[in-house]
């Protein structure tokens, strides 16, 4: 568990997009953010106070979170200076970068000297077991997509936020690097050894109160041949009671696979439901989450309306409309 | 690639079953076996000449293969003595044990001193890529099961042997520890990191001649919630042209999952085929392989006949009947 609150490190981000991890944390866990730290030339801004390391520490910050992608897969000298100083100030470090903090000898030495923790959220933490398939108490919701990167994490976060707003028991269960940095814990499922994938998801979503919802972050797609095994393990390990279908209507082929067409929402529904019912016979598809980011408002609204008529389910873009109707669809489950 | 021929180490196996890995190698690759090595008290015998280490070396042996399960997860002192001496004699070691040869300091020291290789086939060897889903030349066949351990490896080995007997181009592609020890190479798929599973299977079954068949060893089952992600990756990474359905008719529940019923062969067919067609639109189910080991001959034959009438496909037990009819079913693909 990563200690909060955070100081968000934006480094020398060349644009807003490079700092999207920081943006995600600021959007979904503003109460965990005391400020942002920017190097000269930084072109990103997530709208938090610019704080120095000592100021942030004084404001209560426990962890410096790297909220920016680095270039060329190396941690630059400029970054390194700040990271070392942050440890000296008494801050832990957390990172989802491919190149690990723990592989940097100067950082490990300083972390040891200062008794600080380096969190590399790409590295699975637990000793997961092989899944036992036993039914668990409480409720689980999982978003599955026609493709990767169609908004499954956003959907789970938005539904969790809406449930919390309603005073319901809910928890966002992160299965990827950004999700883990946002929520401070989780399982980096794509880095788990094959035999333990489903067991890791069981560990992440344990027994809970009957009226508690785990909002599980989806990964990949059953129709994406590079990652479908990860998605399958998530469906069987997660034992979802409720499934949300995710889709991005303007994509012309599967992400990274030019030869592969996207399936329709009906094909996704008909494929996922019998598979989900193997581990949870009560599994239901309750709604559809559409990512209309690249569409004009009129076009988006008419697409959502037509899709809702076609699918007979609530169909929303949670960014434009919020997740209220998706949460309504959980009532009675 | 493990160097052949082998001396098979049966150790102090308490019964024949404990030496089933050695038995598998002897059955499927007799041309790679110069003999067996047994300790006092060994109750297993795979019918090969008992050879000492020097004798085996003189007979051409290159590798001592541990063909027996150990007890308690430790490599005993008695075993260790033989393994060290085998290295001194100039033999490599190969093992599928959970406790790794490379974790034993005396073995690594001796292997280094003698310039020998320790093969731990549970440890993935390659730097696999993320699957790219590109179509590959040549043909691929994969057995998928209603459950784990229903005879998928045996089916692939029997089909490969039959194809070779017919003078056809065929290769057994191992995806598990025993299969790797039998064939000398492969991918221990259950130990591969999630993101790279399908890519590892693509690597294992690359472009080949149009009339070449890769007989891919199956793993797990889409209906086994502990391992379904591994099976899914195998289906999408393997791009099978031909699928064989595997089943064990007397099993009362999924292996290790008392609360889970086995699916029928029809449910398996209807689940696997649309998923397989995502990566290979020409995928077909061509036959059924039934493990009737626990049934009497009469019962087995009438079950096979009735199932064949029901499924409209060749239905055989390759142990009782050979794999000829399954290979016939590949003609014209």
């Amino acid at each position: 568990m990563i200690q909060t609150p955070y100081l968000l490190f934006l480094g020398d981000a060349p644009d807003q997009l490079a700092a999207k991890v920081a943006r995600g944390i600021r959007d979904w866990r503003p109460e965990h953010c005391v400020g942002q730290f920017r190097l000269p030339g930084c072109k990103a801004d997530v709208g938090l106070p610019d704080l120095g390391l000592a100021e942030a520490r004084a404001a209560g910050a426990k962890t410096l979170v790297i909220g920016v992608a680095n270039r060329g897969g190396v941690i630059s000298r400029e970054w390194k200076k700040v990271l070392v100083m942050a440890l000296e100030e008494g801050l832990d470090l957390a990172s989802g970068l491919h190149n690990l903090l723990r592989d940097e000898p100067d950082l490990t030495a300083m972390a040891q000297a200062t008794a600080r923790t380096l969190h590399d959220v790409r590295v699975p933490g637990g000793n997961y077991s092989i899944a036992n398939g036993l039914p668990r108490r409480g409720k689980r919701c999982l978003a599955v997509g026609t493709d990767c990167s169609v908004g499954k994490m956003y959907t789970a976060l938005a539904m969790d936020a809406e449930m919390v707003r309603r005073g319901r028991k809910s928890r966002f269960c992160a299965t990827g690097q950004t999700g883990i940095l946002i929520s401070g814990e989780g399982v980096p499922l794509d880095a788990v050894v094959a035999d333990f994938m489903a067991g890791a998801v069981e560990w992440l979503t344990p027994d809970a109160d009957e009226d508690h919802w785990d909002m599980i972050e989806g990964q990949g797609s059953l129709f994406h041949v590079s990652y479908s095994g990860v998605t399958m393990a998530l469906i069987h390990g997660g034992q979802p009671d409720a499934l949300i279908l995710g889709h991005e209507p303007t994509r012309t082929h599967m992400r990274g696979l030019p030869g592969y067409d996207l399936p329709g929402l009906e094909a996704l529904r008909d494929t996922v439901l019998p598979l989900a019912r193997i581990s949870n016979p009560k599994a239901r598809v309750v709604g559809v989450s559409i990512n209309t980011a690249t569409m004009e408002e009129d076009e988006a609204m008419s697409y959502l309306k037509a899709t809702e008529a076609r699918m007979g389910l609530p169909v929303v873009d949670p960014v434009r409309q919020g997740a209220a109707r998706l949460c309504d669809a959980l009532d009675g489950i």
Side-chain angles (χ1 to χ4, degrees), chain A:
Chain A
M1 181 102 200
I2 304 169
Q3 297 298 307
T4 57
Y6 300 154
L7 175 64
L8 301 183
F9 179 75
L10 274 54
D12 44 7
D15 51 39
Q16 286 283 27
L17 192 64
K20 69 176 181 178
V21 171
R23 180 61 187 267
I25 300 171
R26 208 289 315 264
D27 285 353
W28 294 108
R29 295 291 182 269
E31 70 277 20
H32 291 165
C33 303
V34 300
Q36 62 188 15
F37 184 101
R38 301 193 290 170
L39 287 166
C42 181
K43 299 284 196 305
D45 182 347
V46 299
L48 291 166
D50 284 293
L51 298 183
L53 298 169
E55 284 175 293
R57 192 78 182 97
K62 297 276 204 306
T63 304
L64 180 75
V65 177
I66 298 180
V68 56
N70 61 344
R71 282 171 283 189
V74 291
I75 297 176
S76 68
R77 282 184 56 190
E78 290 68 31
W79 283 31
K80 189 67 76 60
K81 262 192 257 177
V82 179
L83 302 183
V84 168
M85 284 192 298
L87 292 166
E88 289 176 316
E89 280 293 342
L91 294 163
D92 292 340
L93 302 181
S95 159
L97 300 177
H98 271 287
N99 44 325
L100 305 181
L101 300 174
R102 68 185 64 177
D103 289 343
E104 304 288 323
D106 40 2
L107 294 182
T108 52
M110 183 56 77
Q112 193 166 17
T114 56
R116 293 296 92 202
T117 303
L118 305 179
H119 296 279
D120 286 302
V121 302
R122 281 187 187 269
V123 181
N127 271 320
Y128 309 119
S129 305
I130 287 174
N132 61 33
L134 294 174
R136 307 193 288 289
R137 294 193 318 126
K139 302 284 186 278
R140 287 157 196 87
C141 179
L142 173 68
V144 292
T146 53
D147 193 2
C148 301
S149 309
V150 296
K152 297 184 298 292
M153 182 183 79
Y154 192 100
T155 302
L157 283 162
M159 291 181 72
D160 173 61
E162 173 65 16
M163 292 294 268
V164 169
R165 203 187 60 74
R166 294 179 181 191
R168 303 281 299 274
K169 297 175 191 163
S170 174
R171 189 174 68 105
F172 168 73
C173 300
T175 61
Q177 286 79 27
T178 302
I180 295 171
L181 289 174
I182 289 172
S183 70
E185 59 187 344
V187 170
L189 193 57
D190 60 9
V192 172
V193 165
D195 243 3
F196 302 103
M197 294 185 297
V201 180
E202 290 187 347
W203 174 88
L204 180 67
T205 59
D207 267 317
D209 293 345
E210 280 303 347
D211 59 346
H212 174 95
W213 280 91
D214 275 342
M215 301 295 178
I216 308 172
E217 181 190 356
Q219 293 293 337
S221 166
L222 287 173
F223 290 81
H224 195 296
V225 298
S226 310
Y227 308 114
S228 54
V230 180
T231 311
M232 186 74 263
L234 203 45
I235 292 167
H236 280 166
Q239 299 181 358
D241 301 278
L243 292 153
I244 307 286
L245 309 180
H247 187 55
E248 205 283 62
T250 67
R251 207 166 284 182
T252 54
H253 61 74
M254 297 292 285
R255 191 175 165 89
L257 303 175
Y260 287 79
D261 293 334
L262 269 77
L265 285 162
E266 292 88 344
L268 175 61
R269 176 197 63 202
D270 296 344
T271 302
V272 73
L273 198 54
L275 290 168
R277 285 183 172 162
I278 292 170
S279 65
N280 186 344
K282 290 182 293 184
R284 289 164 51 184
V285 174
V286 301
V288 179
S289 176
I290 304 287
N291 178 347
T292 64
T294 65
M295 300 165 86
E296 297 295 329
E297 176 83 10
D298 283 0
E299 186 192 6
M301 298 315 286
S302 75
Y303 178 89
L304 294 170
K305 198 174 158 193
T307 307
E308 178 149 335
R310 210 180 82 215
M311 299 295 293
L313 292 167
V315 177
V316 302
D317 181 338
V319 176
R320 290 186 193 265
Q321 304 170 303
R325 294 184 64 224
L326 296 177
C327 291
D328 293 345
L330 302 179
D331 284 343
I333 293 180

